[in-house]
Amino acid sequence: MEEEFGGTQSPDIRFGYNPRQFLSILETWGIDGCRQYQRIALLDLLYIPIYSITLSALLVRSCRRARWQQLIADSHNWIPHVCVTMFLSDLVETCFHLHACVVYPEHLPPTWMIAVGDLSNKVKWVSISISGLLIFTAGMIKGYLWPVLMTADIKQERRQAAATMTATATASKKGGSKKKNKKQ
């Protein structure tokens, strides 16, 4: 990808940039590089919802399998909104970069626009990182730690339930025989 853009990495795949770096990227790309980015950005606009929905489904499934139901169900929790934030920030970032490439070289993007693109870029990468970390953690818990813990917990709960049932059955038999003796 760097070869297509004159050896310069696309701002989409780096974590953050300042206005000077972004303008340097545009200058390095030139008009041809900006046109190439426009074509790729249009494909990226199709790719963003696909990877966001896929990552969101994987995150929800992983949390469910790890029995983190409260993280998914609680509407005040930030977990359900991670992928939505990722989707929106990537969409805003791509639109700002696309606009900058459309107006270049006649106009340079204003500093505020570059700052918003930079902020969106950072939010996107943090959201992707949080999603990946949660999916990995849930997978580790479900795949390696959870069965061991669940087996021990289930065995303990079964022992307690059996002991409670035995104690209840014994108490009811003793109580029942005392009532019969009193009636006679």
Side-chain angles (χ1 to χ4, degrees):
M1 185 164 186
E2 288 184 26
E3 293 174 7
E4 295 174 8
F5 294 112
T8 304
Q9 194 177 49
S10 172
D12 292 90
I13 57 176
R14 56 170 62 193
F15 182 80
Y17 48 83
N18 61 39
R20 188 177 322 133
Q21 290 171 326
F22 186 74
L23 294 175
S24 174
I25 289 170
L26 289 178
E27 288 174 13
T28 303
W29 286 356
I31 296 171
D32 292 335
C34 285
R35 285 188 187 137
Q36 180 69 21
Y37 181 83
Q38 290 172 26
R39 287 190 289 273
I40 290 174
L42 292 175
L43 290 175
D44 194 26
L45 290 174
L46 296 174
Y47 172 70
I48 292 169
I50 293 169
Y51 89 80
S52 296
I53 290 169
T54 303
L55 199 55
S56 178
L58 188 57
L59 179 61
V60 169
R61 181 183 166 138
S62 297
C63 288
R64 281 190 181 141
R65 293 193 73 189
R67 298 189 182 187
W68 291 347
Q69 297 298 340
Q70 192 60 30
L71 294 179
I72 301 166
D74 189 1
S75 63
H76 301 292
N77 201 315
W78 54 271
I79 300 289
H81 307 294
V82 170
C83 292
V84 173
T85 303
M86 176 182 51
F87 169 76
L88 293 174
S89 61
D90 197 3
L91 189 63
V92 168
E93 174 198 23
T94 302
C95 288
F96 278 119
H97 294 165
L98 188 58
H99 174 74
C101 284
V102 168
V103 299
Y104 183 82
E106 290 83 25
H107 303 286
L108 294 177
T111 305
W112 70 266
M113 184 180 284
I114 297 171
V116 170
D118 173 50
L119 178 65
S120 297
N121 172 277
K122 290 175 181 174
V123 169
K124 171 188 76 172
W125 285 115
V126 168
S127 300
I128 289 172
S129 299
I130 290 170
S131 297
L133 183 63
L134 286 171
I135 291 167
F136 177 76
T137 304
M140 289 296 290
I141 288 172
K142 180 62 181 165
Y144 299 106
L145 300 176
W146 191 257
V148 174
L149 296 175
M150 282 303 296
T151 303
D153 288 343
I154 289 172
K155 285 180 182 177
Q156 182 65 25
E157 286 176 15
R158 286 182 183 164
R159 283 187 202 123
Q160 288 174 349
T164 304
M165 288 173 54
T166 304
T168 306
T170 305
S172 65
K173 284 182 183 179
K174 286 181 183 178
S177 61
K178 287 180 182 177
K179 289 180 184 176
K180 288 181 185 176
N181 290 338
K182 287 183 181 179
K183 287 182 182 177
Q184 292 176 358

